[in-house]
Every structure is written in structure tokens, then in C-alpha cells.
């Protein structure tokens, strides 16, 4: 943009790579606008490309926009030496070749006028309407004079917010960056590297998310040449030698055409060479490259059903590589992409990748949202034709980005978080139990799902069910999971104001402090997120919300203090829990930790937790070390006189018929009552049983465990030492 404009005396050090004749454009631009009865000569190639996609387009508005742009930029030159008007013309040509509609092309011609000339947004609005004005404003940079070092991140923030209302803003920005990258050779090497790095980190991921593969692949190659010049030259040499590396794609393409012709399937079969970055990645993955590794076969058909007919013929007449099959027609990618992917082996054993799609799918695959024209205005009120997918005005990834950027008020935080978010190049879909769908980046956890669904209300999340089973909030989700987030019924309070601990575990969480909602009991108030949640949050929205709550509630990291009192006997408030004597107020609640279920005469220690309760652990429990690391002081605990106790046992066994019946019979014979039991599905012929048992006397625990071990098929029985898996 403005950085490209120089005085007329500027000289070009090296001509950049271009896709149009800049000399011809420069001469035409210097002649000025043409007469009113025809388009200016310089914009003729844009008009031809536009009419190829939109035969009935009204070109008068393009001529009018060109006249304003040419007059405004007259006297300005790029560092490459060409008149500056060649830049908006080149950007407009890129978009016209992708099939952009007239409004987008009009705005692209004017996209630098407000930034680099005396033209104002009010003038643009008066001449071309609100839509064009909005698009031009969306891509206009913020001034460094006003924003200093924050100008670049704040400009991107402004463009992203504008893109949230109209994705055509980002289409113009991507084309603008592509032409600047094509002509970047005139810049200093350090500036080339800086621009290429931002393009790699921000613009290329955005092009991928908007499905504009034609721009994305060329940007990747241009960035590759600047940031990794040695690898780029090595890849160039490998591509130059590809003709001598085995069977060619041409031979297999001939066989595929013949196969489809004999099956009476009308299809166009073309060879799609891999671009430089794709060849580089394939070479790193496969080592030695064969002729068929340098490209793919693209099969274009008329209807969706024809795609599957082609697939059936290829898998019948060639040997399919089943692991390479993907159906992006039935399950399109989040960026509108639709195709069938497969790979087949020819008679000579050469494997070739094949992409199968309709012509409409191909247009969308290449141009993404650009190919959809104005996605917000139905054509004559009609629904999209079969095989076409309307562009969502607010894709899931963009909605998430716009949501968290509001909380990232600091430009550095926004810039760093934006790059990290865009680096996550895959998206999954998960389904809340109460309906709808959540789009999340790959690797997202239940923590991320909670904040995506409930926003700040997720501070009160206490657990989750994934596909119907209890799961920790740290559980990584996969595409298609059903997620039910469990929220506390009371309001979120700062730690110390309510019982429980905001952890990542299920009932009896880390240290056994948590009971209630995960065990089917309601909690009066949620304690808020734990610092450990940050370790498992992948989305910026979740991380920003958690960090904000923790910063606003610093007491969440403190241990509530209590004044010492004379020892007194306190009984836990549930039936069957052994008496313990602790040094706390008489009305305090005592809980035997669910992670290690201590029983007499175990060595025990206690810790005061939020809400004034005391949790009792076995001395060797791993939670004791965690409590000490947090600076919590132990509370003196001793056993009372009652012998009755409750304990949790894990039994590991091999699967066999009647195993469960034999185990429960052994438990009953030992005089223990089963409070709860869980048997996990077999894994590699092994079965894990979890029993919570009530014993009349702790002295009988050792005999009970021996009796369970004696059951045929059981190879281990042990006490709980840590939080059981869900």
C-alpha cells in the first residue's frame, strides 16, 4: 500500500515477478482516462476477466472507479518504477480472474485511495454507495502517526472486525498482499523477511480459512522463496529433474480417461502439478520422489452423483489405497471445500492421488468465498443451486476470533494470540447435548468447549460428559464428539467464599476436595476456574477469560486461614464415615478423600480447604505432596473409636463369563457392602473394576483384598492411590 509509493525519481533495483504486463499498464495509465463512451484501455483486461465470470455485469461503474483511482494516484510511483495505478489494477485483475463480483472489483480499484491520496470515505460513499465505502474502509491502514508500533496489529484487528460483517474485505486484502509479494524484490532483504513472516503467520492461514486456495498456494511459494531460499532452490532443482524419476502422471491420466470413457461417464481429467511448498513437504515425508509424486489427477464432472460414479470406476479398475480415501462432499471442510480424495495404483505399481469434484466445487475450491460473489444477497431471491454451498456470513473460526479479540485490549496480546490461533490449521465440530454445534480448533479440550458455549458462564463449570461418559475438563475432544458441560447451580464466587475447589477432576478431584455435582449432588456456588485450566485451554477465548478471572480474584491462590482451637471430636456428615479428631472448629465438615479413601489404622493427615472443611488423606497419597507444594499447612488428624469404614478398591482382571458375579460374591462373603461399582469396557482383553465398599471393621480389609485376588481371572486388587479415571 502506501509503503510502495515513492517519488518519480525512484529506480527499480530488481524487477519483481508479475502476472501482467506492467509496462503496458504503465503506458496506458499515463495516457489518462478514455472518453466517456468506452472503458479506459488500462482496465480492458480486467473487464475481459470479469465478463468471463459475469457476462451480464455492468462495467460502467468499474470505468468510473478507475477514473477516480487513476486521477488520485497520478504522479505516484511504486518502488519498482511503475505508476502506482498499476497496483490497484493488478489487485483487481487477481480478483476478477477468481470470479469476484462488481462491487468487490470496484472497491479493489479504490482500496488505496483513502489511505494514499486526498480522496475521503465520504466521497467514495457519495460516488459508489455504502457497500463500496465499507470495503474500502475495511482495508485502509491505520496511521503510524496515531498508533505508533501498534498500527500493524490494530490495522489487522480493524480488518478482521470488518471481515466479520463482510468477508469481501479480507478477499481484497489477500489479493493486495499477493501482488505486493509478487513485487517484493525491490525491497530491502530485512523488510522482505518481515513482510513474508507476517504473510506466513496471518495472511496465509486466513486464505486457507476462507478457502481461497489459488491465493494461498502462490503466497506460500513466495514466502518459501524469501524465508527458506536454500530449500526453495533445492526444491526447484528437484522439480526440474522430475521427468527422469519414474512413471509419469500423463500415462496414468490416459488410462483414467479411457476407463471413464468406457464407463460412459462424462468427465474432464487434468493434471494438477504440486506447487513448490507441496513438493517440499512431500520430499521431506517420502524421501526419494517418483514422477507421480509431483502432481495429482483432477477429475471434473457435472453432478455430485457423478463424483461417486467416478470413484466406483477407479476403485474397480485400479487398486485403491484405502487409507487415502476422504469424503469431503458428504462432510465438507469448514472453509467450504468439497471433493472426494483417493489414491490408486497403476499396473506398474505407481500410486497417484486423485481429486474428484464438480465444476462448481472446483470454482469454490480455488476461489473460496470470492467465487460466491456477494454472499449476503440471494440471486433473485432464489436458493443456491444443487451442489452449491452458500457462504456463512460468520464462519465458526471467525466468530471465535471476533469474540476473544474484544477481551485482548492490549495490541501485543492481540497480535501474539492472533498468530497462535491461526497457527492451528485444523478445525473440529463437537455437538452440545442440548443441541447445536461448536466449531473448535483441533486439540481443543472440554475447557475450550465450555467457554465456547457459555462464555464467562463457564467459570462455573465443574465437569463434563463426553459421548455420555464422565470426563475431566482436560479431556481432548475429537471431531464428532457429543459434549455435555456440567455447571454449578449457584453463582461463581471467589475462592474462600464457597465450598469446593475449582479443579479439572471429577468427583473427589485433585486431593479429594470436590464432591457434590460430579457425584450427583448440587453445589451452592461455583468456586471459579483453577490455574490448572490454563494448561488445558487451547482457544484464546478460554485462555483470556480464565486469566482475567484469576487476575480479578488473586485470593484463588491463597489458603484460607483459621485460628487454632482445642481438639474436638468431629463426625463427617455422611453415614458410615469413621470418626476422626481434628484441630478445627467444631462445626467444620470432615471428608475422607476420595482419591485414597483412608481407613483405620492408616497414617493420615488433613488439610483445611475452601469453605472451612477438612479433607483427610493417607500420608502416602500423592495429593499430600501437591497440597504441600501449594503452601497449605497440614492439620493434625487422628482416628476415633469406631471400626466401620469405607474404602475404594481397583480390581484388574482378564475378561471371562461370570467374572462380575464371582467378584461380587467374594465381596459379600467377606461381609462388605457395595456402595457403588463401575466396570469399564474391556481393553485388550483386560477389564478394570472400581468398587466403593463399606466394611464393618477396617481389620477385615486385607482379607477382603485377598479374597478378591483369589477369584479366577483377577490379577491385581489395590487401594485407590489417585483420582480414578472416568
Amino acid at each position: 500500500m502506501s509503503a510502495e509509493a515513492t517519488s518519480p525519481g525512484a529506480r527499480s533495483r530488481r524487477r519483481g515477478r508479475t502476472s501482467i504486463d506492467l509496462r503496458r499498464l504503465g503506458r496506458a495509465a499515463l495516457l489518462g482516462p478514455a472518453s466517456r463512451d468506452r472503458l479506459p484501455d488500462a482496465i480492458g483486461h480486467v473487464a475481459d476477466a470479469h465478463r468471463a465470470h459475469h457476462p451480464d455485469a455492468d462495467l460502467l461503474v468499474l470505468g468510473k472507479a478507475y477514473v477516480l483511482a487513476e486521477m488520485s494516484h497520478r504522479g505516484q510511483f511504486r518502488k519498482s518504477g511503475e505508476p502506482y495505478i498499476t497496483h490497484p489494477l493488478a489487485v483487481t485483475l487477481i480478483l476478477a480472474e477468481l470470479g469476484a463480483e462488481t462491487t468487490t472489483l470496484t472497491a479493489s480499484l479504490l482500496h488505496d485511495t483513502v489511505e494514499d491520496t486526498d480522496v475521503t470515505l465520504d466521497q467514495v460513499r457519495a460516488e459508489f454507495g455504502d457497500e463500496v465505502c465499507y470495503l474500502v474502509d475495511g482495508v485502509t491502514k491505520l496511521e503510524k502517526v496515531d498508533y505508533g508500533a501498534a498500527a500493524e496489529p490494530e490495522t489487522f484487528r480493524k480488518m478482521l472486525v470488518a471481515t466479520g460483517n463482510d468477508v469481501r474485505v479480507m478477499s481484497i486484502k489477500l489479493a493486495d498482499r499477493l501482488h505486493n509479494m509478487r513485487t517484493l524484490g525491490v525491497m530491502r532483504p530485512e523488510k522482505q523477511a518481515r513482510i513474508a513472516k507476517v504473510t506466513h503467520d496471518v495472511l496465509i492461514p486466513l486464505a486457507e480459512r476462507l478457502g481461497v486456495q489459488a491465493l494461498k498456494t502462490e503466497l506460500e511459494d513466495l514466502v518459501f522463496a524469501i524465508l527458506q531460499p536454500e530449500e526453495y532452490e533445492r526444491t526447484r532443482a528437484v522439480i526440474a529433474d522430475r521427468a527422469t524419476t519414474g512413471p509419469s502422471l500423463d500415462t496414468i491420466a490416459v488410462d483414467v480417461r479411457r476407463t471413464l470413457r468406457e464407463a460412459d461417464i462424462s468427465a474432464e481429467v487434468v493434471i494438477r502439478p504440486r506447487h513448490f511448498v507441496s513438493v517440499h513437504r512431500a520430499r521431506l515425508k517420502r524421501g526419494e520422489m517418483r514422477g507421480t509424486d509431483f502432481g495429482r489427477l483432477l477429475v471434473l464432472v457435472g453432478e455430485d452423483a457423478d463424483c461417486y460414479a467416478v470413484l466406483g470406476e477407479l476403485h474397480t479398475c485400479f487398486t485403491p489405497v484405502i487409507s487415502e480415501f476422504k469424503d469431503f462432499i458428504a462432510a465438507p471442510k469448514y472453509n467450504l471445500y468439497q471433493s472426494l480424495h483417493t489414491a490408486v495404483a497403476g499396473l506398474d505399481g505407481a500410486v497417484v492421488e486423485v481429486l474428484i469434484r464438480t465444476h462448481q466445487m472446483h470454482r469454490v475450491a480455488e476461489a473460496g468465498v470470492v467465487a460466491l460473489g456477494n454472499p449476503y444477497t440471494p440471486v433473485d431471491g432464489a436458493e443456491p443451486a444443487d451442489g452449491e454451498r452458500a457462504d456463512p456470513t460468520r464462519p465458526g473460526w471467525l466468530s471465535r476470533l471476533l469474540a476473544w479479540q474484544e477481551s485482548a485490549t492490549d495490541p501485543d496480546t492481540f497480535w501474539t494470540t492472533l498468530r497462535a490461533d491461526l497457527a492451528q490449521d485444523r478445525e473440529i465440530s463437537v455437538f452440545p447435548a442440548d443441541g447445536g454445534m461448536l466449531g473448535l480448533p483441533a486439540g481443543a479440550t472440554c475447557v475450550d468447549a465450555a467457554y465456547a458455549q457459555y462464555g464467562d458462564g463457564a467459570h462455573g463449570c465443574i465437569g463434563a460428559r463426553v459421548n455420555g461418559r464422565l470426563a475431566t475438563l482436560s479431556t481432548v475432544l475429537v471431531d464428532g464428539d457429543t459434549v455435555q458441560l456440567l455447571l454449578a447451580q449457584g453463582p461463581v464466587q471467589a475462592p474462600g467464599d464457597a465450598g469446593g475447589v475449582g479443579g479439572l477432576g471429577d468427583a473427589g478431584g485433585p486431593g479429594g476436595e470436590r464432591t457434590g455435582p460430579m457425584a450427583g449432588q448440587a453445589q451452592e456456588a461455583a468456586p471459579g476456574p483453577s490455574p490448572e485450566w490454563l494448561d488445558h485451554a487451547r482457544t484464546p477465548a478460554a485462555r483470556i477469560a480464565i486469566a482475567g478471572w484469576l487476575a480479578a480474584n488473586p485470593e484463588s491462590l491463597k489458603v484460607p486461614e483459621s485460628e487454632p482451637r482445642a481438639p474436638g471430636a468431629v463426625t463427617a456428615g455422611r453415614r458410615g464415615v469413621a470418626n476422626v479428631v481434628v484441630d478445627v472448629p467444631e462445626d467444620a465438615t470432615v471428608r475422607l478423600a476420595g482419591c485414597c479413601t483412608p481407613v483405620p489404622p492408616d497414617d493420615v493427615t488433613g488439610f483445611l480447604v475452601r469453605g472451612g472443611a477438612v479433607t483427610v488423606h493417607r500420608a502416602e497419597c500423592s495429593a499430600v505432596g501437591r497440597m504441600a507444594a501449594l503452601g497449605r499447612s497440614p492439620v493434625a488428624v487422628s482416628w476415633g473409636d469406631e471400626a466401620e469404614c469405607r474404602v475404594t478398591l481397583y480390581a484388574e482382571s482378564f475378561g471371562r463369563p461370570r467374572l462380575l458375579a464371582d467378584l461380587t460374591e467374594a465381596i459379600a462373603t467377606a461381609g462388605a457392602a457395595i456402595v457403588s461399582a463401575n466396570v469399564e469396557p474391556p481393553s485388550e482383553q483386560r477389564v478394570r473394576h472400581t468398587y466403593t465398599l463399606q466394611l464393618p471393621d477396617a481389620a477385615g480389609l486385607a482379607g477382603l483384598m485377598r479374597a478378591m485376588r483369589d477369584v479366577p481371572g483377577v490379577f491385581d486388587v489395590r487401594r485407590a492411590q489417585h483420582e480414578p479415571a472416568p
Side-chain angles (χ1 to χ4, degrees):
M1 290 185 177
S2 58
E4 297 286 335
T6 65
S7 65
R11 296 292 180 185
S12 171
R13 291 183 293 171
R14 179 165 66 87
R15 187 169 301 281
R17 302 193 312 162
T18 64
S19 63
I20 57 177
D21 186 349
L22 291 179
R23 288 182 180 275
R24 181 174 66 83
L25 285 180
R27 288 194 300 270
L30 289 173
L31 293 176
S35 60
R36 292 178 178 271
D37 59 347
R38 66 185 182 90
L39 285 172
D41 292 339
I43 202 174
H45 58 293
V46 173
D48 293 341
H50 187 38
R51 277 280 171 84
H53 292 277
H54 303 277
D56 300 326
D58 180 5
L59 301 181
L60 292 180
V61 68
L62 290 182
K64 183 179 177 182
Y66 169 77
V67 169
L68 177 58
E70 191 278 331
M71 292 180 63
S72 303
H73 290 297
R74 188 174 296 177
Q76 293 181 333
F77 291 80
R78 306 190 83 221
K79 287 189 176 181
S80 54
E82 286 82 16
Y84 194 85
I85 188 62
T86 59
H87 171 64
L89 277 171
V91 171
T92 305
L93 178 61
I94 290 169
L95 292 168
E97 290 174 337
L98 290 175
E101 37 69 60
T102 308
T103 300
T104 302
L105 300 186
T106 303
S108 68
L109 282 169
L110 301 170
H111 79 272
D112 274 345
T113 54
V114 174
E115 181 179 322
D116 292 336
T117 75
D118 293 332
V119 174
T120 66
L121 285 173
D122 288 338
Q123 287 178 278
V124 174
R125 181 181 292 106
E127 292 287 334
F128 301 97
D130 290 336
E131 270 192 289
V132 172
C133 179
Y134 184 86
L135 297 178
V136 172
D137 184 31
V139 295
T140 299
K141 286 182 180 177
L142 298 175
E143 294 291 342
K144 282 192 174 181
V145 174
D146 299 324
Y147 289 86
E152 185 172 39
E154 289 301 330
T155 293
F156 271 98
R157 188 201 297 265
K158 171 175 171 281
M159 278 190 289
L160 288 168
V161 171
T163 300
N165 293 322
D166 195 325
V167 293
R168 293 174 293 179
V169 171
M170 192 54 64
S171 300
I172 297 172
K173 176 59 183 177
L174 290 172
D176 170 73
R177 178 54 60 94
L178 176 57
H179 184 247
N180 282 336
M181 289 294 297
R182 286 174 176 173
T183 57
L184 203 59
V186 299
M187 296 287 186
R188 299 187 308 274
E190 58 272 20
K191 188 168 185 179
Q192 289 186 40
R194 184 186 67 79
I195 295 174
K197 187 68 167 63
V198 173
T199 303
H200 175 273
D201 292 349
V202 180
L203 273 304
I204 289 175
L206 286 172
E208 167 70 18
R209 281 158 171 73
L210 292 173
V212 195
Q213 294 297 319
L215 302 188
K216 179 214 170 193
T217 53
E218 187 175 350
L219 284 172
E220 282 185 326
D221 284 350
L222 293 167
V223 167
F224 184 40
I226 293 172
L227 297 184
Q228 301 183 63
E230 294 180 0
E231 287 297 322
Y232 179 81
E233 291 302 327
R234 188 176 293 113
T235 303
R236 180 193 289 274
V238 169
I239 293 174
D241 294 339
R242 70 183 183 276
T244 62
T245 53
S248 68
L249 283 167
D250 300 277
T251 303
I252 300 179
V254 170
D255 294 339
V256 170
R257 291 189 187 102
R258 183 178 61 253
T259 298
L260 298 181
R261 187 168 55 250
E262 292 173 353
D264 198 26
I265 298 176
S266 177
E268 180 183 354
V269 180
V270 296
I271 295 174
R272 296 270 292 177
R274 290 181 183 269
H275 63 292
F276 277 61
V277 171
S278 181
V279 171
H280 172 66
R281 291 169 180 162
R283 185 171 61 85
L284 294 179
K285 179 181 179 181
R286 303 173 188 177
E288 184 178 354
M289 299 280 286
R290 305 182 64 181
T292 54
D293 293 333
F294 289 92
R296 303 177 178 91
L297 292 185
L298 174 63
V299 181
L300 297 175
V301 295
E303 304 292 338
D304 289 12
D306 296 334
C307 294
Y308 293 96
V310 169
L311 181 71
E313 288 298 322
L314 293 182
H315 282 193
T316 299
C317 300
F318 299 87
T319 302
V321 181
I322 301 301
S323 60
E324 296 295 321
F325 173 68
K326 298 181 181 68
D327 187 346
F328 294 118
I329 295 178
K333 288 187 177 182
Y334 65 92
N335 62 358
L336 309 179
Y337 179 85
Q338 289 181 289
S339 284
L340 294 178
H341 287 205
T342 189
V344 296
L347 296 177
D348 55 3
V351 176
V352 61
E353 296 180 37
V354 185
L355 310 178
I356 308 167
R357 59 180 70 143
T358 67
H359 291 279
Q360 169 62 14
M361 291 175 191
H362 182 57
R363 286 192 291 271
V364 175
E366 289 294 291
V369 296
V370 180
L372 300 173
N374 183 351
Y376 312 99
T377 304
V379 179
D380 298 328
E383 294 295 325
D386 291 341
E388 298 183 1
R389 303 182 67 245
D391 170 44
T393 59
R394 184 66 67 83
W397 62 268
L398 183 55
S399 294
R400 294 197 309 272
L401 190 153
L402 294 175
W404 68 252
Q405 68 85 23
E406 293 180 356
S407 303
T409 54
D410 175 64
D412 290 337
T413 300
F414 166 76
W415 197 227
T416 302
T417 307
L418 175 65
R419 293 186 178 203
D421 189 27
L422 293 176
Q424 304 177 60
D425 59 356
R426 288 197 308 112
E427 181 160 308
I428 62 172
S429 297
V430 299
F431 303 91
D434 54 357
M437 184 187 76
L438 297 176
L440 297 170
T445 65
C446 292
V447 172
D448 300 304
Y451 283 94
Q453 184 172 4
Y454 297 112
D456 287 347
H459 294 331
C461 193
I462 54 176
R465 291 183 182 272
V466 177
N467 301 323
R469 299 189 64 200
L470 285 175
T472 60
L473 291 178
S474 59
T475 300
V476 176
L477 301 171
V478 298
D479 199 37
D481 277 346
T482 299
V483 183
Q484 178 186 3
L485 286 314
L486 306 178
L487 303 180
Q489 295 183 1
V492 178
Q493 298 183 10
D497 295 337
V501 174
L504 287 164
D506 296 335
E513 299 92 332
R514 300 192 65 178
T515 60
M518 294 299 292
Q521 302 171 6
Q523 203 171 345
E524 291 184 359
S530 163
E532 287 80 7
W533 288 21
L534 288 172
D535 297 333
H536 302 284
R538 297 291 179 269
T539 58
R543 296 185 63 82
I544 291 172
I546 295 167
W549 191 91
L550 293 173
N553 297 276
E555 64 272 22
S556 63
L557 302 178
K558 298 179 181 178
V559 181
E561 299 178 356
S562 60
E563 297 181 2
R565 287 182 55 131
V570 181
T571 303
R574 65 186 184 192
R575 180 182 175 276
V577 176
N579 284 350
V580 289
V581 178
V582 296
D583 188 13
V584 293
E586 292 183 0
D587 59 350
T589 299
V590 176
R591 302 170 182 152
L592 300 182
C595 56
C596 58
T597 54
V599 299
D602 290 339
D603 253 350
V604 290
T605 186
F607 291 94
L608 195 65
V609 298
R610 298 165 190 162
V614 173
T615 301
V616 179
H617 296 265
R618 292 163 60 188
E620 64 267 29
C621 178
S622 59
V624 172
R626 292 199 298 270
M627 294 288 189
L630 291 173
R632 298 190 180 182
S633 301
V635 176
V637 178
S638 60
W639 292 109
D641 297 331
E642 290 188 10
E644 191 176 19
C645 65
R646 181 175 294 193
V647 65
T648 297
L649 299 178
Y650 300 151
E652 305 281 352
S653 69
F654 296 106
R656 67 169 178 82
R658 288 192 52 81
L659 175 64
L660 184 59
D662 292 345
L663 263 174
T664 53
E665 182 179 353
I667 292 170
T669 302
I674 299 176
V675 177
S676 66
N678 180 60
V679 181
E680 298 180 9
S683 175
E684 298 181 356
Q685 298 300 315
R686 296 190 174 191
V687 182
R688 189 188 198 198
H689 309 248
T690 304
Y691 297 99
T692 299
L693 307 174
Q694 192 78 25
L695 278 69
D697 192 332
L701 178 58
L704 169 63
M705 295 175 67
R706 283 195 299 271
M708 293 174 67
R709 288 193 190 100
D710 289 340
V711 173
V714 177
F715 58 86
D716 186 30
V717 177
R718 65 184 184 278
R719 298 258 310 270
Q721 295 286 347
H722 50 77
E723 182 185 2

